[in-house]
Amino acid sequence: MRKVDSFLKECHRLEGINSTSLMRKVLKGFAFSDGTFVPKGTMTLVAARAMHYEEAYYENAHAFEPFRFADLHEKDDEGRKHQFASTSAEYLAFGHGRHACPGRFFAASEMTAMLAHIVVMYDVKFADNATLPATVPLVTFLLPDPTAKVMFRRRVD
């Protein structure tokens, strides 16, 4: 299951559903050490997708490496931090800290179950052997290409 979990996390890292994370409203004006001032009422957020493509956080960040997190799990004593539903300052798909998405564990379980069902029951491919279509940005959301054609054929025993 570790490799399935890694595959899903890598898919979510590269093609998540939102390009931003950690949206917060400033409750009290704040000045950074460089003099930058953020006034009360300002909405702030983090460019999560940009961080997910950052070489400082992920070696070969633009490449899809399905077992990236499984491999990290094997190398690291704290393997749980590389699980799909785990958050970190580098992986912000579910937010981070005490306001991280409380449904992330359910989402990870559901995606694992759906992937298992599809892999066991269907042969899947893009129509005309096309490659993965580009993500369509809509404000901060990242949507799958609505014109992409995916073919499913039920497997026969």
Side-chain angles (χ1 to χ4, degrees), residues 6-137:
S6 177
F7 172 84
L8 289 170
K9 186 170 183 173
E10 181 71 350
C11 288
H12 209 210
R13 181 184 74 84
L14 289 174
E15 297 292 334
I17 60 171
N18 208 331
S19 62
T20 63
S21 187
L22 303 173
M23 183 179 285
R24 301 289 185 265
K25 182 177 184 177
V26 176
L27 299 178
K28 181 180 171 188
F30 180 81
F32 287 94
S33 60
D34 69 352
T36 303
F37 182 75
V38 183
K40 176 182 177 179
T42 302
M43 297 300 291
T44 64
L45 51 81
V46 174
R49 188 165 198 213
M51 289 182 68
H52 292 169
Y53 280 84
E54 180 59 51
E55 292 285 335
Y57 302 126
Y58 300 101
E59 186 178 323
N60 203 11
H62 290 274
F64 176 70
E65 295 178 6
F67 305 131
R68 176 189 305 271
F69 298 101
D71 294 343
L72 288 172
H73 182 93
E74 296 296 324
K75 294 176 188 173
D76 198 338
D77 289 340
E78 297 178 48
R80 294 177 81 192
K81 73 179 183 182
H82 302 297
Q83 292 177 335
F84 182 29
S86 296
T87 69
S88 70
E90 299 83 32
Y91 180 72
L92 299 171
F94 292 113
H96 187 53
R98 64 183 178 162
H99 297 291
C101 176
R104 67 189 185 273
F105 304 102
F106 177 70
S109 295
E110 288 295 300
M111 284 190 264
T112 301
M114 286 188 287
L115 178 62
H117 178 75
I118 290 169
V119 167
V120 169
M121 302 298 291
Y122 299 94
D123 290 322
V124 183
K125 73 174 191 173
F126 286 111
D128 303 321
N129 291 318
T131 59
L132 181 66
T135 302
V136 178

